[in-house]
């Protein structure tokens, strides 16, 4: 299995500028790879890949103090 990218770039939903998100260190769990970044305009950008339920939970949480539970 390949390692996820450490950084990804997306277009900000608020100002359309590029925003770089960084892979977050949550655990050794391979179910999800959560990313978090903040645009220069202050808009928080979340992204995740992996298990659909874990990704949905992460995105709905807003990324604040989120932990993946088995």
């Amino acid at each position: 299995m390949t390692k996820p990218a450490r950084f990804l770039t997306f277009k900000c939903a608020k100002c359309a500028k590029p925003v770089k998100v960084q892979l977050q260190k949550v655990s050794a769990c391979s179910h999800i790879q959560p990313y978090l970044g903040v645009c220069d305009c202050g808009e928080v950008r979340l992204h995740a890949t992996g298990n659909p339920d874990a990704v949905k939970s992460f995105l709905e949480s807003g990324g604040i103090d989120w932990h993946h539970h088995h």
Side-chain angles (χ1 to χ4, degrees), residues 29-40:
C29 177
S30 63
H31 290 94
I32 185 172
Q33 292 83 43
Y35 292 81
L36 176 66
V38 180
C39 182
D40 289 340

Side-chain angles (χ1 to χ4, degrees):
M1 186 169 174
T2 60
K3 286 187 173 185
R6 302 255 322 133
F7 294 95
L8 297 173
T9 303
F10 294 94
K11 186 184 288 189
C12 179
K14 192 173 185 180
C15 71
K17 290 182 182 176
V19 57
K20 189 181 282 189
V21 295
Q22 182 176 8
L23 180 65
Q24 301 296 294
K25 295 176 183 172
V26 174
S27 71
C29 177
S30 63
H31 290 94
I32 185 172
Q33 292 83 43
Y35 292 81
L36 176 66
V38 180
C39 182
D40 289 340
C41 74
E43 186 74 5
V44 174
R45 170 68 181 182
L46 297 176
H47 178 73
T49 59
N51 177 283
D53 291 334
V55 168
K56 183 175 184 245
S57 171
F58 173 71
L59 296 177
E60 287 176 350
S61 76
I64 305 299
D65 200 31
W66 180 87
H67 297 286
H68 176 57
H69 299 284
H70 291 268

